[in-house]
Amino acid sequence: MVITICIGSSCHLKGSRSIIQGLEKKIRENELCSQIELNGSFCTGECENGVCVKIDDELFSVSPETVDTFFENEVLRRVR
Ligand code: FES
């Protein structure tokens, strides 16, 4: 699974860095390093939402406050 986090300027201001750190932590805690690849991308044109995060080609809007819920509901569901 590839998770792509937008690091364009608008998403950067909305906290993409802390979302990346949050996801890295969750991936380590769940020992999923070999199954999940984290990538950065430039602006994907979805700036009006939260930070733009993609799981493979599916688009989500995530904020630093919702990153844990996002991981549990969307990421874990797909790897298990
Ligand atoms: S900067 Fe992230 S979608 Fe535009």
Side-chain angles (χ1 to χ4, degrees), residues 6 8-11 43-47 52:
C6 175
S9 48
S10 168
C11 288
C43 178
T44 54
E46 304 287 335
C47 309
C52 168

Side-chain angles (χ1 to χ4, degrees), residues 11-43:
C11 288
H12 177 75
L13 291 174
K14 289 180 205 150
S16 51
R17 177 185 289 268
S18 75
I19 289 174
I20 294 170
Q21 287 165 347
L23 289 175
E24 280 174 340
K25 180 164 169 274
K26 284 284 183 188
I27 290 170
R28 271 198 312 275
E29 283 172 3
N30 288 277
E31 297 175 348
L32 292 170
C33 303
S34 62
Q35 289 182 59
I36 302 178
E37 181 185 330
L38 286 185
N39 261 336
S41 79
F42 294 113
C43 178

Side-chain angles (χ1 to χ4, degrees), residues 46-63:
E46 304 287 335
C47 309
E48 64 276 7
N49 302 316
V51 176
C52 168
V53 177
K54 277 185 187 168
I55 298 181
D56 297 325
D57 282 328
E58 207 176 331
L59 183 65
F60 298 88
S61 174
V62 184
S63 74

